[in-house]
Amino acid sequence: MTRATRPGSIQSSVRAAYLAVGGLESASEDLGVSVTTLSYGTEVTDLRPGGLGVNYLDRLGRIEPLSAVPLAQHFAHLAGGVFHPVDVQGDLAADISLLTREFSDVLAKHAEAHSSDSENPTDYTAAEARDQLKELDDVIEVAVSLRAALLTRAGG
């Protein structure tokens, strides 16, 4: 069991990376290091064996790429951005169709939030903002996936 962590902290992201591979025990087995050593990686301390977090987390991300997602999200947030994994497979025409469909969902949520049916038609309520964030996340994910697919096809 990993130790309690503060939400939004690097320790929380490390914990999420461990959970992405099935928990601390699975990460321990994958990396070939003890559970105690990995648990130590989520402790807030200035004392660390040489490169504990960076080296183990890099190796874990190479073994199971999903474990790198919470870390990428954490650092993207610190840098003022967002991270969404992308899938570069698929038909670009279908990707464009999906992008326009997702964008129409964003427009629909915007119209709903500013309609007379809204509790506050001049702005987003907290619930409307959460719903719109989900729709925006969907359109961003599709747009970034399309961009990655195009970049791959462009040879970049």
Side-chain angles (χ1 to χ4, degrees), residues 11-150:
Q11 290 77 24
S12 175
S13 296
V14 170
R15 184 172 186 267
Y18 294 161
L19 290 173
V21 296
L24 191 61
E25 291 79 14
S26 295
S28 169
E29 187 175 313
D30 288 347
L31 294 170
V33 296
S34 74
V35 169
T36 303
T37 299
L38 290 182
S39 178
Y40 178 63
T42 61
E43 181 182 8
V44 179
T45 180
D46 291 331
L47 305 173
R48 291 274 185 258
L52 171 73
V54 173
N55 292 327
Y56 288 150
L57 293 173
D58 178 74
R59 188 177 346 151
L60 190 61
R62 291 171 192 280
I63 293 168
E64 176 51 65
L66 282 177
S67 69
V69 171
L71 301 168
Q73 290 169 330
H74 174 77
F75 286 110
H77 174 75
L78 290 179
V82 296
F83 173 79
H84 285 280
V86 297
D87 178 11
V88 296
Q89 309 299 319
D91 176 23
L92 291 182
D95 291 346
I96 291 291
S97 177
L98 184 56
L99 180 62
T100 58
R101 189 167 55 248
E102 292 297 345
F103 187 68
S104 72
D105 292 346
V106 169
L107 294 175
K109 285 292 178 191
H110 181 76
E112 186 180 309
H114 291 81
S115 73
S116 59
D117 292 336
S118 174
E119 291 177 26
N120 182 2
T122 62
D123 200 359
Y124 284 89
T125 65
E128 291 166 343
R130 283 190 296 275
D131 289 345
Q132 186 65 296
L133 282 169
K134 189 241 180 263
E135 295 303 333
L136 284 171
D137 284 347
D138 290 348
V139 80
I140 289 168
E141 184 174 336
V142 171
V144 171
S145 293
L146 175 58
R147 185 185 189 287
L150 288 169

